[in-house]
Amino acid sequence: MGMAIRVFFVLLLFISCTKLSFSLYEDQVGLMDWHQQYIGKVKHAVFHTQKTGRKRVLVSTEENVVASLDLRHGEIFWRHVLGPNDVIDGLDIALGKYVITLSSDGTLLRAWNLPDGQMVWEALLEGSKSSKSILKVPVTLKVEKDNVILVFGKGVLHAVSSSDGEVLWRKDFVAESVEVQHISQSSQGDVIYAVGFVDFSNLHVYQINAKNGELLKAPSAAFLGGIFGDLLSVSSNVFAVLDGTRSSIATINVHDGEISYQETLIADLVKDSSAKAVILPSRISGMFALELNSLLILIKVTDNGKLVVVDKVTNVAALSDALLISEEQNAFALVQHGGSKIQLTVKGGYDWNTDLLKESIVMDPERGNVNKIFINNYLRTDRSHGFRALIVMEDHSLLLVQQGAIVWSREDGLASVVDVVTSELPVEKVGVSVAKVEQNLFEWLKGHLLKLKGTLMLASPEDVVAIQALRLRSSEKSKMTRDHNGFRKLLIVLTRAGKLFALHTGDGRVVWSVLLLSLRKSDACEHPVSLNLYQWQVPHHHAMDENPSVLVIGRCRPILDAPSFISFVDTYTGKELNSLDLVQSVTQVIPLPYTDSTEQRLHLLIDINQQAYLYPKTPEAIGILQNEFSNVYWYSVDADNGVIKGHALKSSCVHEVVDEYCFNSRDLWSVVFPPESENIIATVTRKSNEVVHTQAKVMAEQDVMYKYISRNLLFVATVAPKARGEIGTATPEESWLVVYIIDTVTGRILHRMAHHGSQGPVHAVFSENWVVYHYFNLRAHRYEMSVIEIYDQSRADNKDVWKLVLGKHNLTSPISSYSRPEVISKSQSYFFTHSVKTIAVTSTAKGITSKQLLIGTIGNQVLALDKRYLDPRRSVNPTQAEKEEGIIPLTDSLPIMSQSYITHSLKVEGLRGVVTVPAKLESTTLVFAYGVDLFFTRMAPSRTYDSLTEDFSYALLLITIVALIAAIFVTWVLSERKELQEKWR
Amino acid sequence: MASNTRSKTMVLLLFVQLCFLLFSSSIAFSPGSAEGYTINGRVKIESMGAQEFILPGKISNIKIILNGGQRVTFLRPDGYFSFHNVPAGTHLIEVDAIGYFFSPVRVDYYEIREPFSIMSIVKSPMGLMMGFMLIVVFLMPKLMENVDPEEMRRAQEEMRNQGVPTLASLLPGAGRSS
């Protein structure tokens, strides 16, 4: 028997050698995380389709991204996300090998290497007056064998060498106070025209020597009626502009330094011209397009300056710029809507009646209207011209259309996520037996043997691939039903374009998407804004027959008092159940902790006058609210005036009639920060759905502290007015940061602390009884992170066992903000190396698992930092008891370990937020990080202590058991034999 | 849990050569851009063993961040970067390069104290007072010398006739009444 035990121990040792690691193995990448790269809504696109090499399209977007996309599949070759203030004004290709971008109001010109995206040069172009920014890369213009890029920005025209970014000459237009609207080159190439207006009424045409920037001539002409909108260049020396009354069109001809213009009444061209006309900015050579009454009128400018109406087109969504397809011929594209299809027409510039291309393409109605179109041509095998079109849709998606079909599409609306909620998946209705999943015992064993090989590091590269595939298959992570551990969910994301997407947490695919009608641009609502998402209905009791739904809040204009609208969307199907246009504004939405009989959550929508509107509008909801009427409190933060106010419900409001779903509010308290010394820069509160397992915190030496846990705590950070600016603008003496913890029911300030010589930006996270915040310390010139923990002192004497026995404790007394408990707070500060974009904290189902902070760093990665590093009880030399408790010796800065980046080698470009959702399994939390990119992973802050890991080798267990039985059998036989021999002796 | 796939040691060497160049005179005329200093620097990544400092192709994704995202720029092929039009003050530069850790670099720029010059003393109020006194002390006698002796005598006689000039007599109009 002794031998059996020995064998067992050897095996045990063997198993324990394959110890679980804290971090991720290389082969686990992509197993439970996914990463999606986006670029945002495309503003400019330039095709690069030479015969040799890969075909690509260069784009710049509203997210300040410049990217090179594969024209075949739409994948990203390379991509750069510029700074948030570095808005791209122009994009072009120079010398056939550099991508040129103009950004920051025409002051930064950069050249990127076309194949790999390496920045080649950067030029700063200076000027003093804000103006339109124009980038022009002439093909033929050369100065001393150097190709020249023309840039107009900040009132100055620059000629820049395209090989090294050196400014060859500059011509300042600041003194002339002219608004330059167009830069062009004469047909000979030696003269540059800069056309602009002074005071919207005097046209100036500056003729500049292309070689040295010398002003040759500057003729001008006066427009008595003024102008409206921008000047459009029809051809190299003909321009069109609307006059000030928008009733006539002026065509301007510049010839040999002379300006001649003639005006044509729109009424002469079109009969019904009562509506206001707009000249579209599309450059279609020899013609221009006038939009009138949602009718597009194409007007040709003849050689003698006369205007001829060529065509009137209805339902036009977008018009492309002209494309030179041969030496003589131009072409441009036109997109029309018709039902579920779009009609793409490519017309030649000279012969209007024949279409070069006419295709109709079936388009998903959830993509909305076509917003922009860019075209490119290619030669077919029969030497005729074929066209491909890049289309930007209303939902910001990007499509490539060729030969009547969508070749590829990119959901770039997901680059601008505004808000995220999660939804459960449907319950699996039919039970699936284990046997069905593990079809074949042999297969199953083979798979586990393969895994065993992997753990023993015997696997060949092919085996590793096989293991990966096996894992992906067995994890069933992309199934459309709820799983036991709660890992599979739907992420409902709202984008800036007003589109709602449901992403599967397993693989990140789009399950459904819906473009909300109320969030679409319309005549009534010119600039709709997507605001927030709330969980409207989360069925538990009716999980089998009711679908969960979300509440979407939007606003008509980007101002606070604009009328709002709400919409309800089913999260299983993506169907819009209902939508309401509200008269009032919505400044705040308060999900109440009560649900009605259909499990719809009660919500209070607060308008700008602090009137509360109850939703759902049912008598039942009113009844529930009446019961809890005196328990509803909320607060409002007016950062501009430095006032925080507490509110409670008062009475039903009386408009014309009594509206029983509307309530007036009364102010309970207010905290006023003097604007000359403190400005509010950040407010953070606890997540309303956070679960706390226990109030007690057991310390070393059998001591207990009670966490002060209240849902109504608000963290407020204020800074000195001078310290509001960027880092480096204030001295340590004139800047301070003050943090408060305020009870939002009573307005009581529980804690106040000043950090002298510190300033914002402040990023903070509030959880349980603690708050962690990140700010900049000007004296040390480093970032710092501080923690504040609040403990309830009034419960501290409950430690006495006798009191408990005799019943003299207050553990059963209700927790109320009004009871003014005695609290103590502890605080500590640490240095932190990096700038931070956002901070979140892990959340688990029961709140037992220890917490980790998730820090979105400036490098667009997410760093997990154990909360134990931010513990005010840390000291330089912790006692033995404290060490046992797990207190880490105090260090002046927080450690950053490269293994603790949960995004491992990936980046979430343009990171804006991190959302954590508890899984059903207590040890695990789901993390979703969004920005221009999306990243999702699953993490276990204290390892998966409550389940076997996916790597657990059942084969090893089986082998162990078999080996043990064999060993027992062998030793039994051996001992039998030995016994027999002894007996024979 | 947390994660990482990189195991190789990361060697970093950030070498920021910070030179502050006052912008050329062209900007001095434009009042809109009163701020105007340039931060130039260089990022060097020591590749394994090799003498070459920059890994070509790898640096295309390195970003240089000023003051926690206020501005972002990229590296040129030689590893240099620059921020233009940076106001005077204290700034923080961070390098975002995946696979490498860079300590943030602090950059201080203070307004240059004007060097000692005679003109600055002359221009100051004390200097002006001194100058005036010097003029009075040294130039006034010279002026007196140039005055014609006869005229001088006449003036002295006049003064004697009028007696000691009072303040009232010096005032315009007062002379008529006397």
Side-chain angles (χ1 to χ4, degrees), chain A residues 22 126 781 835 898-899 901, chain B residues 1 3-4 27 60 90 94:
Chain A
F22 192 64
E126 285 174 288
H781 209 89
S835 304
S898 56
Q899 281 88 357
Y901 282 104
Chain B
M1 63 146 262
S3 50
N4 203 329
I27 197 87
S60 68
T90 306
E94 287 168 276

Side-chain angles (χ1 to χ4, degrees), chain A residues 54-93:
Chain A
R54 288 192 280 197
K55 290 183 174 38
R56 50 192 109 213
V57 57
L58 285 316
V59 292
S60 75
T61 73
E62 289 184 354
E63 303 291 324
N64 300 350
V65 174
V66 48
S68 165
L69 303 179
D70 184 352
L71 204 51
R72 265 177 226 287
H73 306 106
E75 284 152 11
I76 298 170
F77 280 140
W78 56 260
R79 174 183 65 156
H80 290 297
V81 183
L82 306 188
N85 307 321
D86 209 2
V87 178
I88 302 170
D89 305 309
L91 175 85
D92 214 330
I93 296 178

Side-chain angles (χ1 to χ4, degrees), chain A residues 70-120:
Chain A
D70 184 352
L71 204 51
R72 265 177 226 287
H73 306 106
E75 284 152 11
I76 298 170
F77 280 140
W78 56 260
R79 174 183 65 156
H80 290 297
V81 183
L82 306 188
N85 307 321
D86 209 2
V87 178
I88 302 170
D89 305 309
L91 175 85
D92 214 330
I93 296 178
L95 298 174
K97 60 177 182 180
Y98 293 155
V99 181
I100 309 290
T101 59
L102 180 68
S103 58
S104 287
D105 297 324
T107 56
L108 273 176
L109 189 69
R110 293 191 180 104
W112 313 88
N113 197 11
L114 187 62
D116 62 2
Q118 164 74 50
M119 192 176 85
V120 187

Side-chain angles (χ1 to χ4, degrees), chain A residues 539-565:
Chain A
H540 292 290
H541 306 300
H542 309 278
M544 297 303 261
D545 43 81
E546 290 260 8
N547 291 0
S549 53
V550 288
L551 168 69
V552 187
I553 309 272
R555 204 180 274 155
C556 218
R557 282 184 297 278
I559 44 171
L560 261 184
D561 57 349
S564 301
F565 35 79

